[in-house]
């Protein structure tokens, strides 16, 4: 491991934080613009699908790229693609072409960029950080991302009242340029071993090899199966809560800002907790606790009639998200061979990007006829049940045990 790993990790996380800030700011602006303009569950569903389906289709291929090519260059490419699409969107809005479908089109292109970036970032971090430091670094990264998500909705809400949406688009372009410059000029990390060697098999053979690896890896296969159900059940809480707030509590921008701020504040604290605590010795037990609390919190979002208490539940859910994400990410980084990390994170991105929008094909239209509160209570109960199944799954629990215990 490079003795300058701390410096490299700081540079990398800084670049990703700057890039994330601009992207998050623009994403909130787009989401709220559609929400406040249409107040339609169907329109929100279309926007979500446009953003996530490209990630679904491209993620398996992007995962192969992350294993075959220099991961830093792929991250730079994806940031540049997203910035270019956002710049074109800003120009179109400035010239009076401000149709909603343009936002959908831009979301598609941004989704392609994210598909390339996500597996590359997930596989790149273990190149920078020693294995025994991965939990802490991933937890710190989670807190930083949560801080960005805390600041972004507040700033986005302020900017929407002071400036046009196309002006907000330009912020993403500027932050992406800064991120690319940091990676290009200051972060000198060689490509991983597979990218430095001549490829002896074809592209699609690489893809098939990755899928076979998942099929034969008991933990990864089982973990992905549980994630499929998790992302389906979490979709109403992730995407329909702004619409629920607009319908049940009022469509003021400050209310939409408040739910994002409280959620992100909870995530920031949760990341700090994981950086200090690190979770239970068995990482899967930590994930199960988080899943259980997320289910109970989701049920609470559908139950409480007071907005202040609603925000409390939102903060509580945010608090335990890093308690799930951090050990889940670290286990993949530790259990999967380095040469397959890109493909594994690519498939993980495909699951995350497909299950939520596909489930929104049902939840979104249903939300125009059934109270969102009922959807939240139902999916919350099912998440609690899933936690019990996770606790009883021997493959997951065994994989979560410390390596020394497994060897005994």
């Amino acid at each position: 491991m490079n003795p300058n790993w701390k410096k490299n990790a700081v540079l990398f996380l800084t670049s990703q934080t700057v890039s994330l800030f601009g992207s998050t700011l623009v994403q909130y602006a787009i989401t709220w613009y559609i929400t406040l303009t249409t107040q339609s569950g169907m329109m929100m569903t279309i926007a979500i699908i446009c953003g996530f389906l490209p990630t679904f289709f491209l993620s398996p291929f992007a995962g192969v790229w992350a294993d075959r090519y220099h991961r830093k260059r792929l991250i730079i490419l994806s940031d540049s693609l997203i910035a270019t699409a956002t710049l074109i969107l800003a120009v179109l809005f400035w010239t009076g072409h401000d149709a909603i479908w343009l936002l959908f089109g831009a979301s598609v292109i941004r989704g392609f960029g994210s598909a390339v970036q996500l597996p590359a970032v997930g596989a790149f971090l273990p190149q920078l950080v020693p294995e025994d430091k991965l939990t802490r670094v991933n937890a710190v990264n989670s807190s930083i991302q949560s801080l960005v998500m805390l600041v972004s909705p507040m700033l986005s809400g302020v900017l929407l009242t002071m400036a046009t949406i196309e002006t907000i688009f330009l912020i993403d372009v500027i932050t992406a340029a800064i991120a690319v410059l940091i990676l290009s000029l200051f972060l000198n990390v060689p490509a991983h071993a597979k990218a430095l060697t001549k490829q002896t098999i074809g592209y699609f053979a690489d893809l098939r090899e990755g899928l076979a690896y998942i099929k034969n890896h008991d933990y990864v296969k089982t973990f992905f199966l549980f994630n499929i159900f998790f992302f389906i059940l979490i979709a109403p809480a992730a995407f329909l809560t702004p619409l629920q707030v607009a319908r049940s509590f009022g469509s003021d921008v400050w209310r939409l800002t408040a739910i994002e701020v409280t959620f992100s504040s909870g995530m920031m604290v949760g990341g700090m907790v994981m950086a200090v605590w690190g979770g239970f010795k068995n990482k899967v037990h930590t994930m199960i606790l988080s899943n259980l609390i997320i289910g109970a919190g989701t049920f609470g979002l559908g139950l409480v009639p007071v907005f202040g208490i609603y925000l409390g539940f939102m903060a509580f859910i945010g608090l335990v998200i890093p308690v799930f994400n951090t050990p889940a990410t670290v286990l993949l980084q530790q259990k999967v061979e380095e040469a397959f990390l890109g493909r594994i994170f690519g498939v993980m991105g495909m699951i995350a990007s497909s299950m939520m929008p596909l489930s929104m094909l049902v939840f979104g239209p249903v939300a125009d006829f059934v109270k969102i509160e009922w959807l939240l209570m139902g999916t919350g109960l099912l998440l609690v049940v899933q936690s019990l199944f996770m606790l009883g799954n021997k493959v997951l629990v065994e994989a979560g045990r410390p390596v020394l215990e497994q060897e005994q």
Side-chain angles (χ1 to χ4, degrees):
M1 180 59 64
N2 191 325
N4 295 321
W5 72 266
K6 290 184 179 179
K7 175 186 174 183
N8 289 336
V10 169
L11 285 170
F12 179 66
L13 295 183
T14 298
S15 71
Q16 293 308 291
T17 299
V18 172
S19 175
L20 178 67
F21 173 72
S23 294
T24 306
L25 197 69
V26 167
Q27 197 55 53
Y28 279 124
I30 291 175
T31 300
W32 293 352
Y33 184 87
I34 294 172
T35 300
L36 297 176
T37 301
T38 67
Q39 289 200 22
S40 167
M42 179 61 73
M43 295 299 283
M44 285 190 65
T45 301
I46 294 173
I48 292 166
I49 291 173
C50 287
F52 281 95
L53 278 189
T55 307
F56 165 69
F57 286 116
L58 194 61
S59 284
F61 303 99
V64 175
W65 297 338
D67 284 337
R68 292 173 70 97
Y69 306 118
H70 199 316
R71 289 161 181 163
K72 188 183 82 168
R73 293 175 183 171
L74 289 174
I75 297 169
I76 291 173
L77 176 65
S78 64
D79 272 335
S80 301
L81 176 64
I82 293 172
T84 301
T86 307
L87 178 60
I88 293 173
L89 183 63
V91 172
L92 288 172
F93 266 63
W94 260 321
T95 56
H97 301 86
D98 56 356
I100 292 291
W101 70 265
L102 287 174
L103 297 176
F104 297 155
S107 294
V108 170
I109 299 175
R110 291 169 64 88
F112 279 122
S114 296
V116 174
Q117 188 173 46
L118 290 175
V121 169
F124 189 54
L125 198 55
Q127 288 181 234
L128 305 176
V129 181
E131 183 174 320
D132 61 337
K133 305 296 183 184
L134 279 173
T135 296
R136 178 163 293 181
V137 172
N138 275 291
V140 169
N141 188 33
S142 176
S143 286
I144 294 172
Q145 291 179 352
S146 300
L147 178 61
V148 171
M149 293 177 66
L150 173 64
V151 174
S152 297
M154 292 189 290
L155 184 57
S156 184
V158 171
L159 290 175
L160 279 173
T161 63
M162 298 173 57
T164 59
I165 192 170
E166 51 265 33
T167 302
I168 300 176
F169 291 156
L170 284 184
I171 296 175
D172 191 21
V173 178
I174 295 171
T175 54
I178 294 172
V180 168
L181 286 175
I182 292 174
L183 290 176
S184 302
L185 301 179
F186 302 107
L187 185 63
N188 298 313
V189 177
H192 55 289
K194 184 176 174 63
L196 291 173
T197 58
K198 184 178 180 180
Q199 306 300 325
T200 58
I201 61 176
Y203 176 87
F204 287 101
D206 247 351
L207 180 59
R208 288 192 298 270
E209 190 179 66
L211 295 176
Y213 183 86
I214 294 172
K215 180 181 178 182
N216 296 320
H217 196 298
D218 288 340
Y219 170 71
V220 174
K221 179 174 60 177
T222 306
F223 174 69
F224 281 177
L225 180 62
F226 273 89
N227 265 270
I228 288 172
F229 289 103
F230 175 81
F231 283 117
I232 291 173
L233 296 175
I234 203 67
F239 294 123
L240 291 177
T241 45
L243 188 59
Q244 178 199 11
V245 168
R247 290 177 178 178
S248 302
F249 299 107
S251 58
D252 310 283
V253 172
W254 75 265
R255 293 186 187 274
L256 300 180
T257 304
I259 62 173
E260 300 297 342
V261 167
T262 53
F263 180 80
S264 300
S265 297
M267 282 192 65
M268 184 172 62
V269 174
M272 294 177 180
V273 169
M274 285 302 297
V276 175
W277 172 42
F280 299 123
K281 288 185 177 181
N282 189 313
K283 291 182 173 63
V284 171
H285 285 166
T286 309
M287 293 158 57
I288 292 170
L289 174 65
S290 173
N291 198 89
L292 181 65
I293 296 175
I294 291 171
T298 300
F299 183 87
L301 290 177
L303 191 64
V304 297
V306 180
F307 188 60
I309 301 176
Y310 183 93
L311 292 178
F313 275 96
M314 189 65 74
F316 198 50
I317 293 174
L319 175 70
V320 295
I321 291 291
V323 179
F324 184 93
N325 288 343
T326 301
T329 300
V330 171
L331 275 177
L332 287 179
Q333 292 169 337
Q334 291 178 338
K335 298 291 181 183
V336 175
E337 296 175 33
E338 195 273 340
F340 289 91
L341 271 174
R343 279 164 284 185
I344 296 303
F345 278 104
V347 173
M348 183 65 195
M350 182 181 68
I351 292 171
S353 62
S354 62
M355 292 302 103
M356 295 177 81
L358 287 176
S359 60
M360 281 299 292
L361 287 173
V362 176
F363 289 128
V366 168
D368 286 335
F369 303 97
V370 176
K371 292 182 66 174
I372 295 175
E373 286 77 2
W374 287 106
L375 296 178
L376 291 170
M377 292 170 68
T379 52
L381 284 175
L382 291 174
L383 282 167
V384 171
V385 172
Q386 185 189 40
S387 302
L388 301 178
F389 276 104
M390 291 178 69
L391 185 60
N393 189 283
K394 293 182 179 180
V395 172
L396 290 180
V397 174
E398 176 65 23
R401 291 169 54 198
V403 175
L404 291 177
E405 289 186 17
Q406 294 177 21
E407 293 175 348
Q408 291 176 355

